């Protein structure tokens, strides 16, 4: 809210003192944002009530008189009354006055303002606060109505930017989240997401009310019917105006829905099971996906929004704050912890299951945001996917050439793996596609994948900085290449192998050092021929994948945080069952053992082509080492946790050859160095690594303090474990993206013995 000693405006005038206008008046009053608040209304009773409630200082039925002396005028009247209202206020407007509005249809409001305001049109800032209540009128005015709600501004070419900025400051000061978009886009989007649902609710209730047995219909209606038709109780006059003023966009949205309803009806009539499942599984998760994209939150958080109350709570929480971890010092880790499913394998199980012939049954699927982004992308390309339900997913494969063009951009959230692997897979499709992601992913490099794919004949575009969005032109003829990776990278290797499924001849990838080989193993598990010869992997197009059953092992990258936590906290003993121990992923175990960690592999076995074991870890004294460079690619994702172990070890730990850490979700070398320094650790950074001086056993390795994770989930979880050897509490900011790789981390760590509290 504003500073009462420095108001933004001398005078704010509200034209139309109902819920929307009255609430803005109350918020301006509460925040001390104007020296004087004036109301204009044709209703003397409304003005009297506004004065008695203390919302306004003065009130006038003459609208021109009401706006005299105003710096800012907010017009909150029905859309159909905007033209007459603009005409009425013009004689009283000061030359410097800014006019803005709250109309829910922008095209007709802008046209009315252009026609009526004349030379003052450049000072008009069209806007739409998206907020409301069941009650209406001035008595429902609420100073908190706009907090954590959205206000959309739709300025046009003639709009004075300074006026737009002033209106933005006002809405921001009352707690709103202010967005901007074009007026035509606004009217289309609102027609599809707000106006159409109201139209359907009015129509459905009216249709059923006309039936002879309508009394029984309403008497026995289930909760879903009541929820859906609740909005039919909205003000008919207001919605009559909206449907009339936004006629073209509403009709287009209605036609879009009619076409979708016809497809649904046809699937029911034909008994087409796959078509029905496709429609309903897409719809079942689409709501969570839209909320995640809209609020930049996780799919898992959005999926928990099962009713309107939860949905609003999730949106408000995501808009208002980012969760923080507060971890109290000391403690030990004990018991048995089953960590999240392997993210790398979860990604690939969906991709290859979708390209297979037949059904693939998956157990242990990681229900985190990254893997769900991959799952949603294939739903968007026409693949029927049931679940996930408690880690179980059923993928109805469409074959190598069965994917369909997505209707819109494929949103990858925070998942670099999803984007990079799909770049290869989509390069061989007949259709064009575009990949985008959240703010973090949009800063990450994609050219190291795009460059060799272009050598194969793919048409791929990135930004001038080589970052997303990534555009892929379809219908290209790909040719196999013999490519040696300049830097070891499982993601680049996998992207090329997936493109190789569609390329003429052989695609051969040679890596300078071993990287995770989940793609090769899983291709073979689906029956696709893969040739492995030393450091090279080769595939040839023309093969076929066959649906199968997969069990995803627990993720060794997720296990790494608990391995480090138990190793550094005296008195700890922890069992981590069914963890994947693929030899291309066990670098973290090898490094910790070289440092002296007591890690034992028990019950080693095979699970769907992937080796797994139960890991038992006991606390022990660690010593600093120079990390062998051949182990670096095998532990690239686990280094944030290893850095925490290094700070607890006796002597220096030195890392070189890890340039890739600088282009992960964050510059992990620098971000970890900043955090460790803030907690009192001595260190030195290099372009390709770091030297960390550990303190050994018997005393705290870290002070308390505040850590900025920069939205990097592995940074956040690593510093959470550092609290086990800290002298004070550690606060870790910006932890929302922990859900990308390890949903439920905080709860699981708490049960194991970490004193972790989530705030926000």
């Amino acid at each position: 809210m504003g500073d009462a000693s420095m108001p933004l405006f001398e005078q704010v005038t509200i034209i139309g003192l109902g819920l929307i206008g009255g609430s803005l008046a109350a918020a301006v009053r509460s925040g001390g944002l104007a020296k004087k608040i004036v109301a204009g209304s044709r209703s003397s009773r409304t003005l009297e009530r506004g004065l008695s409630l203390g919302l306004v200082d003065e009130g006038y039925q003459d609208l021109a008189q009401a706006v005299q002396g105003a710096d800012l005028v907010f017009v909150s009247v029905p859309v159909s009354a905007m033209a007459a209202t603009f005409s009425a206020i013009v004689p009283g407007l000061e030359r410097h006055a800014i006019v803005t509005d709250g109309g829910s249809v922008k095209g007709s409001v802008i046209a009315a303002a252009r026609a009526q305001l004349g030379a003052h049109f450049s000072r008009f800032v069209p806007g739409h606060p998206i907020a409301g209540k069941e009650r209406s009128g001035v008595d429902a005015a609420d100073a908190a109505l706009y907090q954590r709600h959205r206000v959309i501004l739709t300025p046009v070419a003639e709009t004075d930017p300074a006026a737009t900025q002033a209106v933005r400051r006002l809405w921001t000061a009352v707690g709103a989240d202010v967005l901007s978009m074009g007026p035509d886009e606004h009217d289309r989007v609102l027609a599809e997401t707000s106006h159409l649902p109201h139209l359907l609710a009015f129509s459905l209730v009216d249709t059923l009310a006309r039936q002879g047995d309508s009394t029984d219909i309403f008497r026995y209606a289930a909760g879903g019917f009541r929820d859906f038709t609740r909005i039919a109780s909205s003000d008919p006059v207001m919605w009559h105006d909206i449907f009339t003023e936004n006629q073209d966009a509403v009709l287009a949205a209605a036609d879009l829905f009619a076409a979708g309803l016809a497809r649904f009806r046809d699937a029911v009539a034909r008994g087409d099971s796959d078509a029905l499942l496709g429609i309903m599984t897409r719809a079942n998760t689409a709501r969570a996906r839209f909320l995640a994209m809209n609020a930049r939150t996780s799919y898992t958080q959005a999926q928990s929004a099962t009713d309107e109350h939860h949905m609003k709570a999730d949106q408000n929480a995501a808009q208002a704050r980012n969760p923080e971890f507060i971890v109290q010092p000391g403690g030990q880790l004990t018991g048995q912890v089953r960590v999240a499913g392997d993210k790398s394998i979860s990604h690939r199980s969906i991709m290859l299951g979708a390209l297979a012939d037949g059904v693939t049954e998956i157990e242990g699927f990681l229900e985190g945001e990254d893997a769900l982004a991959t799952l949603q992308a294939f739903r968007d390309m026409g693949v029927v996917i049931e679940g996930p339900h408690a880690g179980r997913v059923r993928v109805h494969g469409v074959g190598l050439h069965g994917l369909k063009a997505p209707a819109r951009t494929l949103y990858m959230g925070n998942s670099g793996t999803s984007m990079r692997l799909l770049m290869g897979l989509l390069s061989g499709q007949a259709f064009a596609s575009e990949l985008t992601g959240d703010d973090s992913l949009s800063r990450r490099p994609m050219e190291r994948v795009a460059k060799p794919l272009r050598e194969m004949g793919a048409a791929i575009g990135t930004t001038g900085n080589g970052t997303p969005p990534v555009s892929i032109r379809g219908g290209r003829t790909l040719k196999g290449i013999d490519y040696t990776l300049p830097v070891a990278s499982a993601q680049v290797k996998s992207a090329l192998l997936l493109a190789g499924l569609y390329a003429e001849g052989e695609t051969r990838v040679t890596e300078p050092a071993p990287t995770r080989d989940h793609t090769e193993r899983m291709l073979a598990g689906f029956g696709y021929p893969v040739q492995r010869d030393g450091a090279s992997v080769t595939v040839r197009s023309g093969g076929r994948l066959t649906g199968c059953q997969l069990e995803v092992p627990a993720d060794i990258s997720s296990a790494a945080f608990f391995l480090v936590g138990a190793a550094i906290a005296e008195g700890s003993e922890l069992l981590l069952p069914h963890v994947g121990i693929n030899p291309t992923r066990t670098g973290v175990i090898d490094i910790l053992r070289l440092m002296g960690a007591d890690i034992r592999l028990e019950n080693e076995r095979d699970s769907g082509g992937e080796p797994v074991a139960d890991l038992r870890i006991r606390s022990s004294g660690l010593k600093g080492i120079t990390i062998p460079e051949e182990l670096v690619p095998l532990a690239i994702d686990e280094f944030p946790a290893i850095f925490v172990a290094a700070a607890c070890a006796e002597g220096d730990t030195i890392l070189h050859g890890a340039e890739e850490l600088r282009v992960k979700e964050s510059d992990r070398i620098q971000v970890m160095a900043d955090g460790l320094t803030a907690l009192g650790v001595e260190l030195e950074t290099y372009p390709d690594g770091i030297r960390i001086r550990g303190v050994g056993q018997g005393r705290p390795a870290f002070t308390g303090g505040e850590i900025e994770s920069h939205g990097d989930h592995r940074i956040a979880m690593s510093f959470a474990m550092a609290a086990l050897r800290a002298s004070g509490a550690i606060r870790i900011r910006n932890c929302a993206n922990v859900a990308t790789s390890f949903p439920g981390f905080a709860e699981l760590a708490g049960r194991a013995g970490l004193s972790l509290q989530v705030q926000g």
Side-chain angles (χ1 to χ4, degrees), residues 284-300:
N284 186 256
T285 57
R287 178 172 174 273
R289 172 177 175 256
F290 294 151
L291 289 179
M293 292 175 64
N294 202 31
R296 287 293 191 261
T297 185
S298 71
Y299 289 97
T300 48

Side-chain angles (χ1 to χ4, degrees), residues 75-91:
V75 180
S76 179
V77 299
V79 172
S80 60
M82 286 287 184
T85 303
F86 290 146
S87 177
I89 67 174
V90 165

Side-chain angles (χ1 to χ4, degrees), residues 1-4 8 12 14 17 19-34 37 54-56 141-147 170-176:
M1 303 296 280
D3 183 342
L8 295 176
V12 169
I14 310 290
L17 205 60
L19 169 66
I20 299 301
S23 293
L24 182 59
V28 170
R29 171 77 75 209
S30 174
L33 304 178
I37 305 172
L55 298 175
V56 298
D142 180 0
L145 181 67
Y146 301 110
Q147 292 180 21
L170 171 68
W171 285 117
T172 301
V174 301

Side-chain angles (χ1 to χ4, degrees), residues 609-630:
E610 291 281 348
V612 299
D614 303 333
L615 306 186
R616 187 176 298 277
I617 172 76
R618 295 185 177 93
S619 59
S620 59
L622 303 180
K623 62 181 184 296
I625 63 169
T626 297
I627 296 172
E629 289 200 27
E630 65 269 18

Side-chain angles (χ1 to χ4, degrees), residues 526-551:
F526 277 88
Y528 201 98
V530 178
Q531 180 182 340
R532 284 177 274 199
D533 182 15
S536 299
V537 184
T538 304
V539 296
R540 178 184 289 273
S541 61
R544 176 174 175 266
L545 293 94
T546 303
C548 60
Q549 291 191 335
L550 295 173
E551 184 175 1

Side-chain angles (χ1 to χ4, degrees), residues 393-716:
V393 180
R394 199 164 190 258
V395 183
H396 297 251
V398 296
L400 274 169
H401 302 281
L403 297 179
K404 297 177 182 176
R408 297 183 181 178
T409 297
L410 297 172
Y411 177 71
M412 300 292 100
N414 190 244
S415 179
T417 301
S418 302
M419 183 170 286
R420 293 183 177 118
L421 268 60
L422 278 173
M423 286 170 66
L425 192 155
L426 292 173
S427 293
Q429 303 305 314
F431 52 80
S433 54
E434 184 177 61
L435 303 168
T436 189
D438 68 7
D439 292 340
S440 171
L441 183 55
S442 296
R443 295 191 297 268
R444 286 152 68 184
M446 294 296 147
E447 278 297 309
R448 59 182 176 148
V449 182
K451 182 177 179 294
L453 288 173
R454 292 190 192 107
E455 292 181 26
M456 297 178 72
I460 299 179
T462 61
T463 68
N465 297 322
T467 55
V470 176
S471 60
I472 303 168
R473 193 188 312 162
R476 306 282 290 189
T477 299
L478 302 185
K479 297 185 182 296
I481 60 171
D482 190 338
Y483 187 75
T484 299
L485 294 171
V487 177
S489 170
Q491 292 180 355
V492 179
K493 175 180 67 172
S494 295
L496 297 180
L497 293 177
L498 291 172
L501 303 181
Y502 298 92
E504 295 178 355
E506 286 186 350
T507 298
R508 179 184 175 94
V509 182
T510 302
E511 47 191 352
T515 64
R516 58 188 64 178
D517 62 356
H518 302 305
T519 300
E520 303 96 290
R521 286 175 179 265
M522 196 172 290
L523 281 169
F526 277 88
Y528 201 98
V530 178
Q531 180 182 340
R532 284 177 274 199
D533 182 15
S536 299
V537 184
T538 304
V539 296
R540 178 184 289 273
S541 61
R544 176 174 175 266
L545 293 94
T546 303
C548 60
Q549 291 191 335
L550 295 173
E551 184 175 1
V552 178
D555 191 350
I556 195 168
S557 294
S558 297
F561 305 108
F562 290 91
L563 291 174
V564 167
I568 65 175
E570 188 175 351
S572 295
E573 180 174 349
L574 203 60
L575 182 67
L576 306 170
H578 199 73
V579 178
I581 54 167
N582 184 303
T584 64
R585 297 286 301 283
T586 54
V588 63
I589 294 177
D590 297 334
I591 291 169
L592 289 175
R593 280 177 163 174
L594 288 173
M595 297 175 72
D598 181 1
I599 303 175
R600 301 181 187 179
L601 276 59
E602 302 175 355
N603 192 23
E604 295 186 49
R605 56 204 183 275
D606 181 88
S607 178
E610 291 281 348
V612 299
D614 303 333
L615 306 186
R616 187 176 298 277
I617 172 76
R618 295 185 177 93
S619 59
S620 59
L622 303 180
K623 62 181 184 296
I625 63 169
T626 297
I627 296 172
E629 289 200 27
E630 65 269 18
L631 292 180
V632 171
L634 309 185
I636 198 68
D637 283 334
E638 292 77 50
F639 275 112
I642 292 170
F643 290 176
V644 169
C648 300
E650 184 74 42
D652 288 0
T653 295
I654 301 170
L655 169 68
H656 283 291
E659 302 93 333
E660 188 177 349
L661 285 174
R662 293 197 179 273
V663 292
K664 290 290 189 176
E665 285 85 334
S666 66
D667 178 343
R668 285 181 174 159
I669 292 175
Q670 191 59 53
V671 172
M672 284 298 299
D674 291 343
L676 290 170
T677 300
L679 299 181
V681 177
E682 294 184 33
L683 56 84
E684 177 184 1
T685 61
Y686 313 116
D688 67 340
I690 195 169
R691 177 185 61 80
I692 299 172
R693 173 153 295 173
V695 301
Q697 276 189 308
R699 59 195 180 102
F702 311 96
T703 64
E706 185 169 300
I707 300 296
E708 172 53 61
S709 76
H710 293 274
D712 190 324
H713 46 105
R714 299 197 189 280
I715 301 293

Side-chain angles (χ1 to χ4, degrees), residues 345-419:
I345 297 174
S346 293
H347 282 303
R348 290 160 173 81
S349 69
I350 296 295
M351 293 182 183
L352 299 189
L355 299 179
D357 295 314
V359 174
T360 295
E361 305 268 2
I362 304 167
E363 294 278 351
F365 177 81
L366 173 66
E367 296 183 47
E369 182 178 358
D370 282 10
L372 289 171
T374 294
L375 187 151
Q376 185 61 45
F378 283 90
R379 278 196 172 118
D380 289 345
M381 291 186 285
V383 180
V384 175
I385 303 175
E386 300 176 56
H389 302 297
R392 293 188 297 275
V393 180
R394 199 164 190 258
V395 183
H396 297 251
V398 296
L400 274 169
H401 302 281
L403 297 179
K404 297 177 182 176
R408 297 183 181 178
T409 297
L410 297 172
Y411 177 71
M412 300 292 100
N414 190 244
S415 179
T417 301
S418 302
M419 183 170 286

